[in-house]
Each structure stands twice: as structure tokens, then as C-alpha cells.
């Protein structure tokens, strides 16, 4: 097994848009000895994303991009990532879709967590749709990002049972708990063998 020390940890950027519970969880994971990642940068498309409070608390550099023009914004983000020698991107609730040009530049080095058992329920409102369709299970997936939405190679998935009384909110809460376990496990699976 590869041993990761401060020096050879992967310089990682986490992209967020909201609460940042996965961000917080990834930061905690990154501080463990066994973790292959070091989070150097947090990027948000929302000034008021609560996740930015978390990055500040942990003294991690963060930057907000307004996304007025996607092409220009991605160019600026890429410049910043190159400047910081970032070699892994973890999307964690980031609501913008990255262009195929951007994805190609980080080929295979962008991960995402999605709250469904992909390939089912790509896109938004996953819990609502799974409940409406009377699914017995939903869950979460960590996958590599490619140029199609929520479609890249699946690294790990975790099933979560849908209860009769579930609302999108209650299901989302239970799935989030599993997301926090799955993302670090997926990162370990990719980089520590
Ligand atoms: C998570 O459910 C994640 O799967 C989805 O967006 C949500 C982000 O939650 N892509 P948080 O901001 O990490 O709390």
C-alpha cells in the first residue's frame, strides 16, 4: 500500500455551492494520516455558501467565482488550479456543470458524489423522484466526472432503504450520512492501492 505523507498527498480542490457537509467531512478525512489528499483550495459559485465558513475555520484558501460567463470563469478557475498545482478535484454539492473542455483538462481527476444509485436519477430532485416512483432503495454514488452529467465511471455506491414514511428531506438526511462514509472510502479505493 502507498504511504502518504504531507509531501506526496494529492493537492486537492473541493468545489461547493451550499451547506458543505461533504466538504467538512473531506477536510476531516484529509487530516488523517492514511488520507491520500490534502485540501488546498475550496471553490464556490455562491458567495453565501455555508461551506465557505467551514473552509475559513480550517484555514483553507477559498475563492468565489460569480459565473457570469462560463467560458471565462472556467478559464480563471483553471489558472488558479494550475497556480496551486492542484491535481485532484472533488465536487461536493457543486451546482454548475463543468464544460467538456474543463473536464478534459483534468482527465479522470475529477470526482463527484451524487445522491442516487446511478445510473438512476441523474440530475436534480433525486429523492423526490425516487420516492414518487416507489423505489425500494435509493443511495449515493461516487463517480469519476466525464463530459456527460452524472455519467462517469462509478467508483463506489451505497444503498439506502426507502421507508414508507420517508419524505425527500428524511431520505436525504439518511443518505447524507452514508455519503460522508462513501466519499473518503472511494478516494482511498482509487489512490491507496
Ligand atoms: C449532497 O447530497 C451531494 O450528494 C449532492 O449535493 C449535496 C451536497 O450537500 N451532490 P453538502 O453541501 O455536502 O452538505
Amino acid at each position: 500500500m502507498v504511504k502518504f505523507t504531507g509531501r506526496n498527498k494529492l493537492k486537492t480542490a473541493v468545489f461547493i455551492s451550499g451547506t458543505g457537509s461533504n466538504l467538512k467531512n473531506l477536510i476531516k478525512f484529509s487530516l488523517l494520516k492514511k488520507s491520500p489528499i490534502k485540501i488546498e483550495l475550496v471553490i464556490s459559485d455562491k458567495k453565501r455558501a455555508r461551506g465557505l465558513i467551514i473552509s475559513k475555520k480550517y484555514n483553507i484558501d477559498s475563492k468565489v467565482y460569480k459565473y457570469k460567463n462560463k467560458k471565462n470563469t472556467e478559464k480563471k478557475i483553471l489558472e488558479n488550479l494550475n497556480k496551486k498545482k492542484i491535481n485532484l478535484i472533488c465536487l461536493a454539492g457543486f451546482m454548475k456543470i463543468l464544460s467538456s473542455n474543463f473536464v478534459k483538462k483534468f482527465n479522470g481527476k475529477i470526482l463527484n458524489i451524487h445522491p442516487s444509485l446511478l445510473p438512476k436519477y441523474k440530475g436534480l430532485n433525486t429523492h423526490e423522484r425516487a420516492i414518487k416512483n416507489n423505489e425500494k432503495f435509493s443511495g449515493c454514488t461516487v463517480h469519476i466526472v466525464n463530459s456527460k452529467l452524472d455519467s462517469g465511471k462509478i467508483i463506489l455506491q451505497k444503498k439506502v432503504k426507502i421507508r414508507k414514511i420517508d419524505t425527500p428531506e428524511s431520505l436525504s438526511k439518511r443518505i447524507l450520512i452514508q455519503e460522508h462514509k462513501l466519499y473518503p472510502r472511494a478516494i482511498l479505493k482509487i489512490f491507496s492501492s
Side-chain angles (χ1 to χ4, degrees):
M1 193 184 270
V2 186
K3 274 236 163 120
F4 287 93
T5 63
R7 272 192 207 154
N8 68 353
K9 285 195 180 204
L10 292 155
K11 289 179 189 288
T12 302
V14 182
F15 286 27
I16 60 162
S17 297
T19 318
S21 72
N22 275 290
L23 167 67
K24 187 175 180 186
N25 183 61
L26 285 175
I27 294 174
K28 284 188 172 167
F29 167 66
S30 74
L31 298 174
L32 302 177
K33 229 180 172 180
K34 67 172 181 185
S35 166
I37 63 167
K38 179 166 194 289
I39 299 174
E40 303 264 0
L41 179 64
V42 172
I43 283 180
S44 170
D45 64 320
K46 298 252 164 40
K47 199 167 79 186
R48 292 186 198 287
R50 277 181 47 209
L52 291 170
I53 301 169
I54 299 167
S55 54
K56 206 167 175 194
K57 188 177 153 203
Y58 284 90
N59 263 321
I60 296 170
D61 223 2
S62 66
K63 183 118 176 85
V64 178
Y65 291 90
K66 278 191 191 151
Y67 258 86
K68 275 189 187 153
N69 170 309
K70 184 163 171 160
K71 207 171 165 190
N72 283 345
T73 306
E74 285 193 342
K75 194 171 163 244
K76 282 186 200 152
I77 295 177
L78 277 169
E79 279 166 11
N80 199 3
L81 296 175
N82 288 336
K83 201 173 83 190
K84 288 191 164 289
K85 298 194 166 56
I86 297 294
N87 32 39
L88 177 71
I89 296 172
C90 292
L91 305 182
F94 187 60
M95 297 303 281
K96 294 280 188 252
I97 296 172
L98 298 169
S99 72
S100 51
N101 181 49
F102 187 102
V103 172
K104 264 185 221 147
K105 295 247 161 72
F106 264 83
N107 206 5
K109 293 288 162 54
I110 308 178
L111 304 178
N112 183 36
I113 184 143
H114 184 77
S116 80
L117 294 174
L118 290 174
K120 280 189 163 182
Y121 305 110
K122 296 173 182 177
L124 297 176
N125 305 319
T126 54
H127 309 308
E128 211 175 322
R129 288 186 284 145
I131 290 170
K132 256 192 192 152
N133 284 347
N134 288 317
E135 297 280 2
K136 288 204 165 57
F137 293 96
S138 187
C140 46
T141 304
V142 175
H143 66 94
I144 292 176
V145 173
N146 67 10
S147 56
K148 286 191 192 143
L149 183 68
D150 300 327
S151 298
K153 184 180 172 219
I154 291 171
I155 309 299
L156 280 179
Q157 291 188 305
K158 176 74 185 176
K159 261 187 183 180
V160 173
K161 200 167 168 24
I162 301 181
R163 297 176 186 153
K164 285 226 165 66
I165 51 162
D166 261 330
T167 60
E169 291 71 33
S170 64
L171 180 59
S172 147
K173 267 191 194 162
R174 284 208 315 289
I175 290 180
L176 208 51
I177 293 170
Q178 296 306 324
E179 289 185 33
H180 296 163
K181 294 181 186 163
L182 199 70
Y183 218 159
R185 275 182 51 216
I187 291 171
L188 281 173
K189 185 177 174 196
I190 302 173
F191 296 109
S192 293
S193 50

